[in-house]
Amino acid sequence: MLLVVEQFLNGLQFGLLLFLLAAGLTLVFGIMDLVNLAHGSLYMMGAYFAATFVAWSGNFVIGIVLALGATLLLGIALEVIALRHLYGRDHLDHVLATFGLILFFNDLVRLVWGPAGLALPLPAWLTVPVQIIPGVFYPAYRLAIISVALAVALMLYILVMRTRVGMLIRAGASNREMIGALGINIKLLYTMVFGLGAALAGLAGLMEAPILTVQIGMGENILILAFVIIVIGGIGSIRGAFVAAILVGMIDTLGRAFLPDLLRSVLSSAAASTAAPALSSMLIYLLMAIVLVARPEGLFPANRR
Amino acid sequence: MKASSLDYRNLVAAIIVVGLVALPLFSQVTGNFFVLTLFTRIVIFALAAVSLNLIMGYGGMMSFGHAAYLGIGGYAVGILAAEGFGSGFIQWPVALLASALFALVIGALSLRTRGVYFIMITLAFAQMAYYVASGLSRYGGDDGLTIYKRSSFGGVINLSNRVEFYYLCLLCLFGGIFLVWRIVNSRFGLVVQGLRSNEQRMQAIGFPAKRYQLVCFVIAGTMCGLAGALLANNTDFISPAVMYWTRSGDLMVMVILGGMGSLFGPVVGAIVYLVLEEFLSQVTEYWAMIVGPLLLLIVLFGRGGILGLIGRFSRG
């Protein structure tokens, strides 16, 4: 029971983290029609910035705020210098150009921070276990991730669905020429959306940093998961990304936690312990295959022209 | 105008063919065996790129998981060798068959989608194959599998001989190019190319679109599986890293760099990309910092790849 609650929360936490990453990816794709493989690099840069600024300022919160700002600026710079010129081009061009950016960022990090990973230590007030229900303790930091991510998701929803800027963003997604003709600075809007996506990716990266180590290539595995999520959820749909992210986070975490025991009750323990890790990492891809067979456009297809 | 650009392209192709055939001679004369080792690797990757070009350049199917077949072909050789089946007459057909089966399954699922969905699906399936290989603890798991003996082909050919192995790889590459050439000029190939231009119209005149694309997808996967079998023999080692998604990206880069949808483009791309990588990694440890932005520039300014540039240049 205790383990179930804990793994359930872990799944939720991982799912929310994936949502932050997938939300930026799906926003950028839905609005600018840009496939951005370098999104994982922004995740990585967020984590490296956080490790650096926290060490430099000596304060966890200040360091994190600085890192968020830095990732936002980096995203904006990236858009203005390179990615802006790719709008309206073939998706294959996007894949190739942003693949080049990944190569660049990985080596840049190796040059600046060295090949060894960094650690982002938590302050004492985040390491205490919290009693969530009588007898069940859960790390405060993971609870903090859950609440921050939920708050960000809510803010994102309000921003996109309830504000004027959000209205412009949605309008830009459905008809770019028309909103340009109405006198909206579409270039600025795009830059802002990209910056927002970058900041979300950076936030996900720096929140994950204290749990895992900060290392080169950390954004790549999770980027693939984010792709799986936006494919399952329907590309361009934030709601779909949210549902799919929670689903993937849960299935991945619960699968890893309980599949070995489950298999052991069916198979011999030797066969189970070899099959379980492979099978549990395959689970989400199986989910994706099933979703695609049933609904090739994803669970919540965004309304496209 | 058109004819002259074609002449230049043919000239490039001819130079490449003659150069590749004469290379072992050059390395024998100069005693430079490094260049032979490098080019064996290049020829193998060129074969993989040629197969990717078949679906990507001619078929319009942007597969981002093509490296999976390199791994499947390689693991077929590696696992059979580890289990005591050393004969290439067993290993290679199994490698081809396994790749074809994998292509059939993921192709049938992936081809339900199109556009960017297709890119991501193929990517995800290749990652799945990567994780399965990492989970093969009996065959080295993450660390990979050393192949102690190269595939044996009785007395026909000795793969441990550098020059013989190089010519085998080159034969496979030329065979692959020939096959692609025959395919794209056949009725089947024309249908596939028609589907790239306008799937709806082709369907309206009665072609079963998915079936044609799937067959094309399987052919390309099988061809890449052969490259995988060669690669495993070349390195005497196979690990999940061969299937990692950046490898698929490398293959895509080779195809686009050389010129998508041209017969020799992928070969040019493979040569340029891998020689550049080799050269830059000798100059600086951080070669990817140069290659990365270079890719970006090529995408922004150089359309049609190197062969396209040559074509434009020769047209004045």
Side-chain angles (χ1 to χ4, degrees), chain A residues 103-104 107, chain B residues 276 280 283-284 286-295:
Chain A
L103 294 181
F104 174 75
D107 260 18
Chain B
L276 198 68
L280 285 178
V283 176
T284 163
Y286 306 103
W287 61 273
M289 266 185 87
I290 303 168
V291 171
L294 211 60
L295 283 181

Side-chain angles (χ1 to χ4, degrees), chain A:
Chain A
M1 179 59 207
L2 210 117
L3 188 67
V4 174
V5 172
E6 195 180 325
Q7 292 300 336
F8 190 79
L9 282 173
N10 281 350
L12 181 69
Q13 177 249 310
F14 187 46
L16 284 169
L17 211 65
L18 286 172
F19 167 69
L20 292 183
L21 197 63
L25 206 58
T26 207
L27 264 181
V28 167
F29 185 81
I31 293 160
M32 282 93 99
D33 201 26
L34 176 81
V35 184
N36 181 18
L37 295 184
H39 204 64
S41 298
L42 293 166
Y43 171 90
M44 172 179 74
M45 293 308 285
Y48 270 95
F49 282 145
T52 310
F53 285 128
V54 168
W56 174 72
S57 68
N59 183 313
F60 189 74
V61 176
I62 294 178
I64 275 188
V65 171
L66 284 177
L68 261 186
T71 324
L72 178 78
L73 286 179
L74 178 69
I76 289 175
L78 201 60
E79 201 267 355
V80 171
I81 295 170
L83 297 178
R84 166 177 290 183
H85 310 285
L86 291 169
Y87 298 153
R89 297 280 287 269
D90 193 52
H91 285 151
L92 198 61
D93 287 350
H94 300 166
V95 169
L96 203 63
T98 52
F99 182 72
L101 285 176
I102 292 179
L103 294 181
F104 174 75
F105 276 113
N106 281 350
D107 260 18
L108 181 73
V109 166
R110 206 148 58 91
L111 185 69
V112 176
W113 282 281
L118 299 180
L120 178 55
L122 282 173
W125 54 275
L126 275 174
T127 49
V128 284
V130 177
Q131 187 163 0
I132 30 173
I133 42 175
V136 179
F137 288 88
Y138 196 67
Y141 183 63
R142 286 183 186 259
L143 280 181
I145 293 184
I146 293 177
S147 24
V148 169
L150 274 177
V152 170
L154 186 69
M155 265 154 52
L156 199 61
Y157 173 80
I158 293 172
L159 175 75
V160 175
M161 304 309 280
R162 292 278 182 273
T163 65
R164 194 176 161 74
V165 174
M167 193 178 74
L168 294 177
I169 289 176
R170 281 178 291 136
S174 56
N175 195 330
R176 141 167 219 193
E177 281 81 18
M178 183 58 84
I179 123 155
L182 290 173
I184 309 298
N185 187 345
I186 192 92
K187 266 191 170 168
L188 183 69
L189 190 68
Y190 281 6
T191 308
M192 276 166 51
V193 170
F194 194 89
L196 176 67
L200 286 175
L203 180 64
L206 65 87
M207 288 208 300
E208 186 75 352
I211 299 178
L212 306 169
T213 43
V214 181
Q215 58 188 356
I216 297 165
M218 65 184 282
E220 293 169 12
N221 288 328
I222 205 160
L223 176 77
I224 312 268
L225 284 185
F227 274 138
V228 169
I229 286 164
I230 68 172
V231 166
I232 291 176
I235 295 175
S237 159
I238 291 193
R239 190 166 44 133
F242 187 78
V243 173
I246 301 292
L247 209 59
V248 166
M250 286 288 178
I251 289 180
D252 194 59
T253 309
L254 297 182
R256 276 174 214 283
F258 298 116
L259 203 63
D261 287 334
L262 216 62
L263 279 182
R264 218 160 278 143
S265 62
V266 191
L267 298 166
S268 71
S269 78
S273 55
T274 38
L279 199 62
S280 52
S281 46
M282 273 175 70
L283 272 182
I284 48 167
Y285 300 104
L286 283 179
L287 171 74
M288 184 185 70
I290 293 167
V291 168
L292 281 175
V293 170
R295 304 185 64 150
E297 299 268 279
L299 293 176
F300 298 91
N303 294 329
R304 308 191 51 94
R305 285 140 288 215

Side-chain angles (χ1 to χ4, degrees), chain B residues 180-217:
Chain B
V180 170
W181 178 65
R182 288 304 300 260
I183 287 174
V184 296
N185 289 308
S186 69
R187 177 181 174 279
F188 170 80
L190 291 174
V191 171
V192 170
Q193 289 171 75
L195 286 169
R196 180 193 57 189
S197 319
N198 196 330
E199 191 172 327
Q200 272 178 337
R201 273 192 206 173
M202 293 301 283
Q203 255 171 338
I205 39 176
F207 286 106
K210 296 293 170 225
R211 221 175 301 162
Y212 274 88
Q213 287 177 327
L214 185 58
V215 171
C216 187
F217 193 80

Side-chain angles (χ1 to χ4, degrees), chain B residues 42-117:
Chain B
I42 289 177
V43 165
I44 294 170
F45 275 104
L47 176 62
V50 164
S51 73
L52 178 59
N53 185 37
L54 174 63
I55 49 175
M56 208 163 89
Y58 294 106
M61 291 173 263
M62 306 302 173
S63 169
F64 201 163
H66 213 62
Y69 309 107
L70 281 180
I72 290 169
Y75 266 101
V77 169
I79 288 176
L80 285 174
E83 296 296 342
F85 299 96
S87 166
F89 293 114
I90 300 174
Q91 290 176 352
W92 292 37
V94 170
L96 296 185
L97 205 66
S99 309
L101 264 179
F102 184 72
L104 188 68
V105 173
I106 71 158
L109 288 171
S110 310
L111 282 168
R112 296 176 57 88
T113 64
R114 53 171 57 84
V116 71
Y117 279 88

